[in-house]
Amino acid sequence: MARARIRLSLLAVVAGAVSSYGFAPALADPTPSGSGAAPACPSSNPPNELTLVSGTPQTARLDSVFASVLQVTLANTNGCPVTTAAAGVPITFTAPAGAASGTFSASGSNSVTVGSDASGAAAAGSFSADGTAGSYTVVASSSYGAVSFSLSNSATGLPARIAVVGPVRRSARVDTRYARPLEVRVLDADGSPVEGIAVTFALGAASSSSGAGGPAGAGASFPDGTAQATARTDASGIARSPRVTANGVAGRFTATATTSTASGAGAAGGTAGANVDPAAISLDNLAGRPVAVTLLGHARRSARVGARYAAPLRVEVRGPDGKPLQGATVTFTLGATGGGGSSASAAGSAGAGASFSGGASQATAATLASGIATSPRLAANTTAGSFVAVASVAGSARTASFQLRNIAGPPTALAAGAASSESAAVGARFPVRLAVTVSDADGNAVAGVVVTFAAPSGGAGGSFGRARSVGVRTNAAGIAVAPPFTAGGTPGGYVVEATAGHATPAAFALVNLASGLQP
């Protein structure tokens, strides 16, 4: 108690001394410390910055409107309401001039200027993504600064590709249904299926104008008798047409599938089908009377290069009743080279082939009352090898094939291989075996020809084992390889000659080296 009284007395003394010097004692702040109460806002508070209100970040599909309007407002950095008049301040919204961007509906361009309202707010109005996917920034600028909106144009969920489901080539007999409806799958840029897109199937014109097949008039229809139908894609992105029925004209034509330019349920405001290539399906109406084409004579035939084949090509055509069909047009085509030719090309090209009279690789003939059609005579070209000739009848999927072969002519030249000039020590074997390639007058390799390799009978020479000469038959490539050749006991140079009939021989210049000399 005594200590308390002493402390109070000291405080009173200090207070009196301060008062005597004319200072009033300081009063404590009535606001409790740490209460968090905000300071009072000034009565005059003009704007000094531009702030974002709405529209960032956001994404819209290509060529569609962004859901949220781009909006800003004038404000003061002290956080207090703006009291000074803020209406009519020009604010410019600007999107990129190239690549991914968009268009303001109010200006029809990538930039628009609007004035702030009485509260200092400004909205750019409707803004649409362009047709390029990507992220970008729209800048709103004013005399009080600038702010940015982060936007993205997305191709997700918009048609980017139409893929055919099932075979792209189909056929049906005239006046009958095709086995399955037309089906396509619509995918977006990410390869995901797009649901709810309208797909238009159109049964196009016959392809005879492009040289691809059937006469004008070949076509088909949907159940309502029209050549066009529309279907929407399901959850798998697949659209299926109604059933398709061939008309009564045989021939080929094309069906197409295209996306509609109207927005589908799955497009959510996007422009479906813009810049999407159509899908095409080749349809073939087959003749109502299938025919059988049977070759007559030998299926495999051969002729010397540059010479005629012994007989023309002949086939028999029979109708569905098994009787010979008269007046049917048969097309004989001398086609691509087989394994024996040098290239897969038609007659008259660099590969093995043949031609009909006049040099053509194709000819037609009408069947007689017997149902038999005979091609013109055909001649082999100058290239040895195998190729195929095909006989076909319009409207029938059946064909007859002939396996033809051009045989090389008689040997006219022998060419020595790598051993045309070499040496070996006396009594030693030559390192490279003697070999030649035999060819005919047109440069074709000649197979099955016996080549005789002969060494000199006296002086420097050698032997194939114990024989001075040996006969070797050429292989399929026209090459004959002699047995190993051994130098005789006499040093010196000499020639081993290779011959085959009347062909120009080949010579090998060989040298037997004396003992101690290295080859």
Side-chain angles (χ1 to χ4, degrees):
M1 293 292 293
R3 287 183 178 180
R5 284 194 295 270
I6 292 172
R7 183 176 297 160
L8 290 171
S9 299
L10 289 173
L11 289 172
V13 171
V14 171
V18 171
S19 177
S20 65
Y21 281 97
F23 295 99
L27 298 176
D29 187 347
T31 302
S33 176
S35 67
C41 289
S43 58
S44 176
N45 195 44
N48 64 1
E49 68 170 345
L50 189 67
T51 61
L52 294 165
V53 174
S54 66
T56 185
Q58 62 176 320
T59 299
R61 285 179 176 156
L62 302 182
D63 299 314
S64 63
V65 178
F66 281 86
S68 181
V69 175
L70 309 186
Q71 187 171 2
V72 296
T73 190
L74 299 174
N76 192 293
T77 53
N78 61 15
C80 294
V82 174
T83 60
T84 304
V89 175
I91 300 171
T92 300
F93 295 81
T94 305
S101 186
T103 302
F104 294 97
S105 61
S107 65
S109 70
N110 68 312
S111 178
V112 67
T113 300
V114 297
S116 59
D117 61 18
S119 67
S126 175
F127 182 69
S128 299
D130 64 14
T132 303
S135 299
Y136 55 98
T137 299
V138 173
V139 178
S141 57
S142 71
S143 58
Y144 295 104
V147 291
S148 298
F149 298 82
S150 297
L151 305 180
S152 294
N153 299 348
S154 174
T156 301
L158 292 178
R161 184 167 68 91
I162 308 175
V164 176
V165 177
V168 296
R169 295 180 181 275
R170 307 179 186 187
S171 62
R173 295 290 175 193
V174 292
D175 296 320
T176 64
R177 271 187 176 182
Y178 277 79
R180 56 188 295 180
L182 308 179
E183 294 178 300
V184 295
R185 178 178 278 112
V186 179
L187 305 172
D188 66 14
D190 299 322
S192 300
V194 185
E195 182 179 4
I197 297 299
V199 176
T200 298
F201 296 92
L203 304 173
S207 57
S208 60
S209 60
S210 62
S221 61
F222 295 112
D224 62 358
T226 68
Q228 191 173 92
T230 300
R232 288 194 177 271
T233 55
D234 60 18
S236 300
I238 294 177
R240 297 175 179 84
S241 76
R243 296 299 296 269
V244 179
T245 301
N247 66 12
V249 180
R252 293 177 184 169
F253 58 101
T254 300
T256 58
T258 56
T259 54
S260 171
T261 56
S263 300
T271 302
N275 301 319
V276 180
D277 292 332
I281 303 172
S282 177
L283 303 180
D284 190 358
N285 294 352
L286 302 179
R289 296 207 306 162
V291 298
V293 184
T294 306
L295 66 85
L296 301 177
H298 297 290
R300 295 180 180 274
R301 308 181 183 195
S302 62
R304 283 279 178 90
V305 291
R308 271 188 174 185
Y309 276 78
L313 310 178
R314 297 172 72 240
V315 295
E316 182 185 52
V317 180
R318 289 182 176 268
D321 56 2
K323 296 179 179 181
L325 190 61
Q326 184 178 7
T329 299
V330 178
T331 301
F332 296 92
T333 303
L334 303 174
T337 56
S342 60
S343 67
S345 57
S349 68
S355 61
F356 294 113
S357 301
S361 60
Q362 192 173 82
T364 59
T367 56
L368 304 175
S370 60
I372 295 175
T374 304
S375 77
R377 297 297 296 268
L378 61 153
N381 65 11
T382 57
T383 302
S386 299
F387 59 101
V388 177
V390 177
S392 60
V393 176
S396 174
R398 299 180 183 180
T399 61
S401 297
F402 299 82
Q403 304 297 321
L404 305 182
R405 183 185 176 201
N406 296 350
I407 301 173
T412 58
L414 281 67
S420 61
S421 179
E422 61 178 332
S423 60
V426 292
R429 180 178 289 180
F430 280 82
V432 181
R433 293 170 66 177
L434 310 186
V436 295
T437 300
V438 181
S439 59
D440 66 9
D442 296 303
N444 298 299
V446 184
V449 175
V450 175
V451 177
T452 300
F453 296 87
S457 57
S463 62
F464 301 96
R466 295 184 178 181
R468 181 183 63 82
S469 66
V470 66
V472 179
R473 192 176 296 275
T474 57
N475 60 17
I479 298 173
V481 181
F485 186 71
T486 302
T490 302
Y494 55 97
V495 171
V496 172
E497 190 174 62
T499 58
H502 298 290
T504 303
F508 299 85
L510 307 182
V511 177
N512 296 349
L513 300 176
S515 298
L517 295 179
Q518 295 295 322

